[in-house]
């Protein structure tokens, strides 16, 4: 639980100086016991991310945002992972670390996708039907690709977050994507966010997104479709966001350091 709250702090969802809800409120939000929250708070206080103040209660002490990390040519970080794996949290942490723009598929396309689904008579939260998978989903990824390409053409770096599960199994898609950014003189890095099922469930419950309702209603069935051992069929970096992994902030920092060191 400390890891989950830490990610919210380091991703900027919980801001510096922001009072935290009470222990009971946090326990209700995360669906855990009061004891679990108290234990998490002790860890976060020891790590300097939360401060306990008289009368004010617990207050966030967020890491300072860094200045933009400059590069000689554009860098594209393409981050994939299953729902609830923490890919958006990683993207936000990287954006705060580097100052690079973050392009998240759901943020860019969700309102249009929901309107399109309703227009054709489907639920706006549908992500399983043939209509969505064959008529709408490809357009989502096309829009995301175009947004990234436009940034790179302007000389900008880009942090790109989406599941990419189908795409990272498709060698022809990988080859086209690599060729596109190579032609733009950009460095492309594939990142896969690994996460255990228990942690995924915690994240999905906590974010409370309507599009996750069917997953939560049938979690055991959904879990059977998740291959936690999946890895992209291309050179990539694995970020382990399981409870046993290093803090996401540390892994993000190491990823940026490795990228900058490896550049010519």
């Amino acid at each position: 639980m400390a890891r989950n709250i830490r990610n919210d702090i380091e991703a900027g969802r919980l801001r510096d100086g922001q009072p935290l809800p009470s222990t009971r409120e946090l326990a209700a939000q995360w669906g855990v016991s009061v004891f679990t929250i108290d234990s998490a708070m002790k860890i976060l206080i020891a790590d300097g991310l939360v401060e306990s103040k008289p009368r004010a209660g617990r207050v966030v002490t967020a890491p300072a945002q860094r200045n933009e990390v400059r590069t000689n040519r554009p860098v594209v970080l393409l981050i994939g992972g299953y729902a609830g794996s923490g890919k958006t949290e990683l993207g936000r942490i990287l954006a705060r670390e580097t100052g690079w723009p973050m392009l998240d598929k759901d943020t860019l396309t969700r309102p249009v996708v929901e309107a399109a689904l309703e227009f054709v008579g489907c639920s706006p939260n549908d992500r399983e039907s043939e209509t969505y998978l064959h008529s709408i989903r490809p357009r989502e990824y096309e829009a995301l690709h175009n947004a990234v390409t436009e940034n790179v053409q302007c000389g900008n770096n880009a942090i790109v977050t989406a599941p990419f599960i189908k795409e990272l199994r498709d060698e022809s898609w990988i080859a086209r994507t690599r060729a596109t950014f190579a032609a733009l003189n950009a460095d492309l890095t594939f990142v896969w966010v690994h996460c255990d099922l228990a942690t995924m469930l915690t994240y999905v419950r906590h974010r409370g997104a309507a599009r996750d309702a069917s997953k939560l209603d049938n979690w055991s069935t959904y879990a059977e479709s998740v291959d936690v051992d999946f890895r992209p069929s291309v050179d990539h970096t694995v970020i382990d966001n399981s409870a046993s992994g290093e803090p996401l902030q540390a892994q993000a920092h190491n990823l940026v350091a490795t990228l900058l060191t490896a550049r010519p």
Side-chain angles (χ1 to χ4, degrees), residues 136-147:
I136 296 177
R137 185 185 185 278
R139 303 288 82 80
E140 283 190 276
Y141 279 86
E142 181 181 345
L144 180 62
H145 177 84
N146 291 343

Side-chain angles (χ1 to χ4, degrees), residues 3-243:
R3 181 188 191 86
N4 298 336
I5 298 173
R6 179 198 301 273
N7 287 351
D8 273 355
I9 293 172
E10 291 172 342
R13 288 195 174 89
L14 296 173
R15 306 294 294 178
D16 184 50
Q18 179 178 340
L20 288 172
S22 69
T23 297
R24 292 189 180 278
E25 289 172 330
L26 284 171
Q29 287 179 17
W30 286 95
V32 298
S33 69
V34 170
F35 174 80
T36 299
I37 294 297
D38 281 338
S39 298
M41 287 299 140
K42 289 177 182 178
I43 294 171
L44 294 170
I45 289 171
D47 289 346
L49 293 174
V50 171
E51 184 179 359
S52 184
K53 294 186 175 182
R55 300 188 184 89
R58 298 182 183 120
V59 177
V60 173
T61 304
Q65 186 170 350
R66 302 190 179 194
N67 295 325
E68 182 178 358
V69 176
R70 304 297 298 177
T71 56
N72 293 326
R73 60 176 183 259
V75 172
V76 176
L77 285 176
L78 193 152
I79 303 171
Y82 285 100
S85 61
K87 56 188 178 294
T88 301
E89 285 75 15
L90 174 63
R92 290 176 64 103
I93 291 169
L94 286 166
R96 286 166 59 84
E97 171 91 10
T98 62
W100 301 346
M102 174 179 164
L103 302 171
D104 178 80
K105 178 181 72 67
D106 285 338
T107 302
L108 289 173
T109 66
R110 184 186 303 136
V112 175
V113 168
E114 291 177 352
L117 285 166
E118 288 186 312
F119 183 78
V120 298
C122 296
S123 164
N125 302 317
D126 166 34
R127 298 298 185 274
E128 308 295 336
S129 72
E130 293 298 309
T131 298
Y132 169 75
L133 293 174
H134 294 288
S135 300
I136 296 177
R137 185 185 185 278
R139 303 288 82 80
E140 283 190 276
Y141 279 86
E142 181 181 345
L144 180 62
H145 177 84
N146 291 343
V148 178
T149 301
E150 188 168 44
N151 269 276
V152 171
Q153 287 171 338
C154 294
N156 296 332
N157 301 317
I159 299 165
V160 191
T161 59
F164 289 116
I165 295 166
K166 176 183 177 182
E167 288 70 21
L168 290 174
R169 298 179 188 273
D170 184 346
E171 293 187 4
S172 62
W173 180 89
I174 291 172
R176 290 194 305 272
T177 302
R178 296 177 82 170
T180 295
F181 292 113
L184 294 171
N185 196 33
D187 294 330
L188 174 63
T189 295
F190 293 94
V191 179
W192 180 255
V193 182
H194 166 74
C195 190
D196 61 81
L197 283 167
T199 305
M200 283 186 204
L201 177 56
T202 299
Y203 278 129
V204 171
R205 279 177 172 164
H206 177 62
R207 70 187 184 186
R211 66 187 183 280
D212 292 328
S214 62
K215 294 183 182 70
L216 291 173
D217 290 342
N218 304 279
W219 182 258
S220 60
T221 300
Y222 172 72
E224 291 176 358
S225 71
V226 174
D227 180 5
V228 293
D229 296 321
F230 170 74
R231 298 293 183 272
S233 58
V234 64
D235 289 343
H236 63 279
T237 297
V238 174
I239 298 294
D240 184 2
N241 195 30
S242 299

